[in-house]
Amino acid sequence: MSLLPRSCRCGAAATAARRLLLGPRGRVSGSHVCNQYRASGSLPEGKKEFLQSGPDLQDFVSGDLSDKGAWAEYKGNLKRQKGERLRLPPWLKTRIPMGKNYNKLKNTLRSLNLHTVCEEARCPNIGECWGGGEYATATATIMLMGDTCTRGCRFCSVKTAKNPPPLDPKEPYNTAKAIAEWGLDYVVLTSVDRDDMPDGGAEHFAKTVSHLKERNSKILVECLTPDFRGDLKAVEKVALSGLDVYAHNVETVPELQRKVRDPRANFEQSIRVLKHAKEVQPGVISKTSIMLGLGETDEQVYSTMKLLREADVDCLTLGQYMQPTKRHLKVEEYITPEKFKYWEKVGNDLGFHYTASGPLVRSSYKAGEFFLKNLVEKRKTKAI
């Protein structure tokens, strides 16, 4: 899950209701509630209407805290002006992660000393992916080779160092063991960049896939890899490991590569990685991802999508870039859900086997649901 993203925030209406229901120490106060309602008679009409249309106590009890206002009515700025920091629009506000499956996955990860890009990149979808969605397919993206990267991309919150700690030789086995305990149908393996290693960690990837397939031959494995500094032998090692999906993210349009990514990465190198994976393993499905909202134009996005199809990339995800901390690149524009729908149609028209496009979509977002559903449909129609 490149990613992210990223803190969850409650809406203004939820905040207002919380102040209404809780006393000064965060406890429910009957007299405080009465006083607030009595005082409401002196509130301006607009404030009264705001409070009345917000969530009530039952909404908090049921957990339904969705925004009751229409997204189309949002009046905030979507494009950044000089010196401005954009406010988060309502369609990008997510729930606090919780639930039985979420806690189970988190506890297993900690006990086996494993890392996920979901946590390290502060992904906004962690509660939904780990908890399972409409199809109850829980998807976690395991981050191999530690939690420290040798590169410093300006969009990513994963910590960096020139010489990260050595690899854990037990990690491939422990990863397979954890995934077997979860009973997942689809797993995404990714990693930090390890330019300090001769093969960039390709052998580590291959061992993990091998252990997974030994334990469960039916599990679908996606590897979201670094560019291995353009080392095609390393790409081959991963592509021939028995994986089902080879993913590598181009991240942004060619014109913004230098601004967004580490200088050691570039669009042409990423394209070579994706093309070579399919050359050595024609049956593998290739996948990449683009972040929007970094200042790219529509023409640049369309041109990039065409280049990816010409490189025979099968699957594409498009999502909203969200500034992880103040030290990272600012969001230049918040793309509306309607515009993401447009890009999804463009992707389908260009011939991608599937295009996942939405504000909260990430390269590994709900991979089991998005990919498995589409893969089955394509195979039924003999499109793949």
Side-chain angles (χ1 to χ4, degrees):
M1 209 174 261
S2 317
L3 325 160
L4 39 189
R6 326 156 143 138
S7 57
C8 298
R9 301 170 176 86
C10 292
T15 304
R18 187 184 297 108
R19 287 173 180 161
L20 184 66
L21 292 168
L22 302 181
R25 299 182 184 225
R27 298 171 183 166
V28 176
S29 169
S31 61
H32 186 65
V33 170
C34 293
N35 288 338
Q36 287 281 356
Y37 277 111
R38 280 197 293 268
S40 69
S42 60
L43 288 174
E45 285 300 319
K47 192 71 172 179
K48 285 183 190 177
E49 186 179 343
F50 175 76
L51 290 173
Q52 288 168 2
S53 63
D56 55 23
L57 179 59
Q58 186 55 41
D59 291 323
F60 284 96
V61 173
S62 67
D64 181 13
L65 296 177
S66 57
D67 184 5
K68 294 187 177 182
W71 294 347
E73 296 174 3
Y74 180 64
K75 302 299 186 205
N77 289 338
L78 294 178
K79 282 196 175 184
R80 190 175 77 87
Q81 305 300 318
K82 189 173 182 180
E84 179 188 17
R85 190 176 181 189
L86 293 174
R87 295 188 64 180
L88 202 68
W91 55 83
L92 287 171
K93 296 180 182 180
T94 57
R95 297 184 182 200
I96 296 171
M98 61 182 67
K100 187 186 296 184
N101 211 54
Y102 170 83
N103 291 326
K104 177 185 175 184
L105 264 63
K106 186 165 186 175
N107 291 336
T108 307
L109 288 163
R110 294 296 80 78
S111 66
L112 293 172
N113 193 33
L114 299 177
H115 304 278
T116 67
V117 75
C118 318
E119 295 173 292
E120 298 300 330
R122 306 180 186 184
C123 183
N125 307 306
I126 187 169
E128 189 173 0
C129 287
W130 287 21
E134 182 183 349
Y135 306 97
T137 304
T139 302
T141 301
I142 300 294
M143 189 162 72
L144 303 174
M145 299 189 268
D147 62 353
T148 307
C149 186
T150 54
R151 297 191 185 178
C153 297
R154 297 186 65 199
F155 64 88
C156 183
S157 66
V158 174
K159 58 188 176 185
T160 65
K162 189 176 181 180
N163 293 300
L167 299 186
D168 176 3
K170 296 180 181 178
E171 187 177 53
Y173 174 82
N174 283 342
T175 300
K177 179 184 176 184
I179 291 164
E181 287 181 12
W182 297 335
L184 302 180
D185 299 313
Y186 191 108
V187 64
V188 183
L189 303 175
T190 189
S191 78
V192 291
D193 278 278
R194 291 299 300 255
D195 297 310
D196 58 316
M197 300 180 60
D199 71 346
E203 182 66 29
H204 204 75
F205 259 108
K207 283 182 180 178
T208 307
V209 175
S210 177
H211 280 299
L212 279 168
K213 292 290 187 176
E214 283 174 11
R215 284 179 171 265
N216 182 0
S217 60
K218 294 182 179 179
I219 192 170
L220 293 180
V221 181
E222 173 183 330
C223 288
L224 174 57
T225 75
D227 59 19
F228 299 117
R229 303 184 305 276
D231 180 357
L232 298 184
K233 289 291 183 184
V235 174
E236 283 183 30
K237 196 175 290 185
V238 179
L240 297 172
S241 65
L243 83 176
D244 301 283
V245 180
Y246 194 108
H248 171 68
N249 292 342
V250 297
E251 308 295 4
T252 186
V253 299
E255 293 83 356
L256 296 180
Q257 293 279 319
R258 293 286 292 177
K259 172 186 174 184
V260 173
R261 301 175 77 186
D262 185 276
R264 287 164 284 187
N266 62 73
F267 188 82
E268 292 74 21
Q269 184 165 274
S270 291
I271 288 290
R272 283 197 298 273
V273 168
L274 289 163
K275 289 179 73 172
H276 193 69
K278 293 202 73 171
E279 287 169 1
V280 299
Q281 183 60 282
V284 78
I285 290 173
S286 58
K287 178 180 171 185
T288 195
S289 182
I290 302 173
M291 296 177 290
L292 301 183
L294 286 160
E296 68 288 331
T297 66
D298 287 356
E299 292 77 14
Q300 289 169 347
V301 175
Y302 182 75
S303 174
T304 302
M305 292 172 73
K306 282 189 68 177
L307 289 171
L308 292 170
R309 268 313 289 143
E310 288 167 8
D312 202 23
V313 173
D314 297 308
C315 306
L316 174 66
T317 64
L318 300 102
Q320 173 70 55
Y321 167 66
M322 293 164 70
Q323 184 182 13
T325 74
K326 290 182 179 180
R327 294 181 290 107
H328 293 83
L329 286 172
K330 289 181 180 178
V331 176
E332 294 296 330
E333 181 180 4
Y334 283 123
I335 313 300
T336 64
E338 291 75 21
K339 191 57 175 285
F340 275 109
K341 279 290 181 186
Y342 166 79
W343 288 123
E344 181 176 347
K345 182 180 183 303
V346 170
N348 293 334
D349 291 345
L350 285 172
F352 288 101
H353 289 314
Y354 94 95
T355 307
S357 179
L360 289 173
V361 167
R362 294 295 178 265
S363 56
S364 51
Y365 171 55
K366 294 171 71 177
E369 295 177 24
F370 272 121
F371 179 74
L372 287 174
K373 180 173 179 290
N374 283 276
L375 178 62
V376 170
E377 289 175 356
K378 293 286 185 181
R379 283 183 174 170
K380 280 182 179 177
T381 58
K382 297 181 180 180
I384 297 182

